[in-house]
Every structure is written in structure tokens, then in C-alpha cells.
Amino acid sequence: MILDGSALSKTLREEVAEATRGSGVKPGLATILVGDDPASFSYVGSKQRACERAGFKAEDVRLPGQTTQAELEDVIQGLNARDDIHGVLVQQPLPKQIDTEVIVASVDPDKDVDGFHPVNLGRLMRGDRGFLPCTPFGITRLLSSAGISVSGKNVVIVGRSLLVGKPLALMFLAKMGQGGGLQDTGDATVTVCHSRTCDLPAVTLGADILVCAIGIPEFVRADMVREGATVVDVGINRVDDSTKPRGYRLVGDVMYDEVAEKAGAITPVPGGVGPMTVTMLLYNTLQSARKLYSQDPL
Ligand code: GUN
């Protein structure tokens, strides 16, 4: 089974657009891009287009690479104060002169539709309602809509980042039925692996559900995957390819062709987790406009 994030996103984005029409408020998302990283440029463009299609107001703030910490904080304070902006997203990575942690913490937690603010991560840790980070949130949606329950399963996550690995582990661990957990994506037995893990294949072979989020192209090979396992590939890596018009192609963290032969279900790259991230951002922004959080029904 192919876990088609593009198809599911299409359905969910229509639901968001429909709920927006019925909500009596026009959700507003501001994205801030500092500098000219090509991948960030492309991600911000997708987020802006998706907002416009869903009937949102999309404010596209572009700042030069030399922007100072104080200038960026001023822009964020201005957006925090605006009634027509319900989500403020600072695209990462930020240039070296900027302290990313301070910037993330300067976004109003109730406009933090990325779910990266310490308050929202704390809410997730405690099992309280809040904004869930979009990539892990999208992964849980992709699994539940395919009828793949994580309850009682061995879930192995490769990667311990603050944006994906750690929050995803907390979501899968959540006690089902508890306020901050999602209705259908908790109660798993979760193992988190990283670059210092000893004998990684021995751990990943125990996975009913294997998630790879490390940013190393085609790292997971078939001999690391149990027959019939569900494989979720979070990687979006550009690798040089002179046969492509752009000079590169996108590959995941999983060697797709050989792992797909063995997996029971797998996410493709592109078209798997990637579109779900943007979809959950729309979802969070709509919820914010309605003064609700990620866990609340649309
Ligand atoms: N950089 C890579 N992914 C993301 C994301 O989901 N949000 C933000 N703000 N920056 C990112």
C-alpha cells in the first residue's frame, strides 16, 4: 500500500476550505523568510499558494539575509499584535547571526501554528491541548486515514530532532482519550534512534512502524526493514542529477524501490509526508482563527 499524502491532502484541504467558508472569519497566515535558501524559498511558496487556495489571507514577509535579531523580533511583534493574522511562521533555517530559539519563543504561542514554541511543546509533553508541529501531525493523520493504528505497536523513529523525531515520539506515546493526544494515534511503544545508536538495524527490524527523519538520502535499506512493516519517510533531500531540468532530484531517507518490495505500506517522496506538512499548517491556522487548537475537531 502506498500512503498517498498528495491525495489525502487534497481531501483535507477541501475540508479546511469548506470549514473556512462556514467559519465567519478569514484565517490569516504570515510567513517570514529571511535570506535566500532555495529549499526554504520553495517551501514558503507552497505554503503561500496553499493558503490562498483555502481562502486564507496569506502575508508573505521576505527579509534580507543580513537582517538583525532586533529587526526580526520587531517584525514578529508587529504580526503578533495584528487581529487579521492568526498564524506566524518563521521559516527555518535562519541565518547564522540570528538566535533561532529566541525567535521561536518570540512568536505568540497562540499564533504558533508551526507548534515549535516552548509553550506548545510543553503542552504536548503534558498531554494538554495546543498546536501540534505540522510534520508529526501530518504523519499521524496519514497513518490514521489509512487505517493503521499505532496502539500497542512497536514504533521506531530514526531521528531525534525538535521539529520531527521528539514531538512525534510524544504523540505516539500519548494516552489515547487524554485531552492533548489525538483520538487515534497514541498508546504505541516508542523507540527513538539517532546517530549514536548501536546496531541500528537490530532496532529497526523490530519496528511494526518505522519512521525515518534524519536527512540522509536513501539511508534506510531493505535489510533494515521487517517484512510487512509500515515505513514513513520524512526525508526530502536534493541530490544532483544532470538528467533533470533543475539539475537535481528529490529522494527520501529511504531507498524507496527496494524497501517498497518489503514494506506493507510506505510513503513516497515526493507526495508522502511533504504535502501533509502544509495541510496541517492550514489546519492549525484555521483552528487558530477559530480560537481552537490542533486537537479540536474542524
Ligand atoms: N523548515 C523546515 N521545515 C519547516 C517547518 O515545518 N516550519 C518552519 N517554520 N521551518 C521549517
Side-chain angles (χ1 to χ4, degrees):
M1 175 170 43
I2 291 173
L3 300 170
D4 186 342
S6 298
L8 178 60
S9 284
K10 191 161 178 285
T11 310
L12 291 178
R13 289 183 201 190
E14 280 162 12
E15 279 177 29
V16 167
E18 177 67 34
T20 298
R21 285 190 287 276
S23 73
V25 49
K26 191 179 179 75
L29 175 71
T31 59
I32 305 173
L33 175 60
V34 188
D36 51 13
D37 175 65
S40 292
F41 199 82
S42 137
Y43 295 146
V44 166
S46 316
K47 292 170 187 179
Q48 287 282 324
R49 283 191 299 278
C51 280
E52 280 159 11
R53 288 193 191 123
F56 291 12
K57 175 190 175 63
E59 182 133 329
D60 190 358
V61 182
R62 309 252 164 156
L63 299 172
Q66 324 76 275
T67 301
T68 65
Q69 181 84 20
E71 286 166 340
L72 181 53
E73 285 178 26
D74 276 353
V75 170
I76 294 169
Q77 292 313 333
L79 294 165
N80 281 345
R82 273 172 56 179
D83 289 340
D84 61 333
I85 294 294
H86 309 97
V88 177
L89 178 153
V90 186
Q91 186 66 29
Q92 295 186 27
L94 286 165
K96 280 195 285 294
Q97 76 276 16
I98 305 279
D99 184 334
T100 301
E101 275 178 53
V102 172
I103 291 301
V104 167
S106 73
V107 173
D108 178 344
D110 287 328
K111 295 191 177 186
D112 170 42
V113 290
D114 249 337
F116 295 165
H117 192 285
V119 164
N120 284 311
L121 292 174
R123 288 168 170 161
L124 171 59
M125 176 75 119
R126 289 175 45 85
D128 295 340
R129 288 158 66 248
F131 288 116
L132 297 170
C134 301
T135 298
F137 189 19
I139 292 168
T140 61
R141 274 304 169 93
L142 198 50
L143 293 175
S144 64
S145 87
I148 299 169
S149 166
V150 301
S151 176
K153 303 265 182 69
N154 288 324
V155 177
V156 175
I157 300 170
V158 188
R160 55 178 157 181
S161 74
L162 196 57
L163 273 57
V164 182
K166 277 195 225 175
L168 184 61
L170 291 170
M171 287 183 213
F172 284 148
L173 264 183
K175 255 191 182 169
M176 286 218 274
Q178 192 175 319
L182 294 161
Q183 283 117 15
D184 45 8
T185 46
D187 290 344
T189 301
V190 183
T191 307
V192 183
C193 302
H194 46 78
S195 52
R196 298 294 171 110
T197 296
C198 293
D199 199 357
L200 181 64
V203 184
T204 59
L205 280 167
D208 302 309
I209 296 164
L210 176 62
V211 181
C212 195
I214 50 171
I216 303 178
E218 302 180 322
F219 177 82
V220 173
R221 307 293 300 255
D223 60 6
M224 298 167 71
V225 177
R226 182 199 280 184
E227 191 80 41
T230 295
V231 178
V232 176
D233 188 351
V234 187
I236 305 179
N237 308 292
R238 292 183 176 200
V239 300
D240 292 340
D241 185 342
S242 57
T243 70
K244 302 286 176 199
R246 290 177 173 159
Y248 68 87
R249 68 194 153 90
L250 292 180
V251 301
D253 292 351
V254 174
M255 182 73 88
Y256 184 85
D257 289 342
E258 64 176 52
V259 173
E261 297 264 303
K262 219 170 168 190
I266 186 166
T267 62
V269 176
V273 174
M276 292 302 295
T277 297
V278 180
T279 301
M280 302 334 282
L281 175 67
L282 297 179
Y283 197 100
N284 282 349
T285 305
L286 170 61
Q287 296 298 64
S288 177
R290 302 163 80 206
K291 309 281 177 231
L292 298 172
Y293 291 122
S294 302
Q295 294 86 350
D296 299 317
L298 261 197

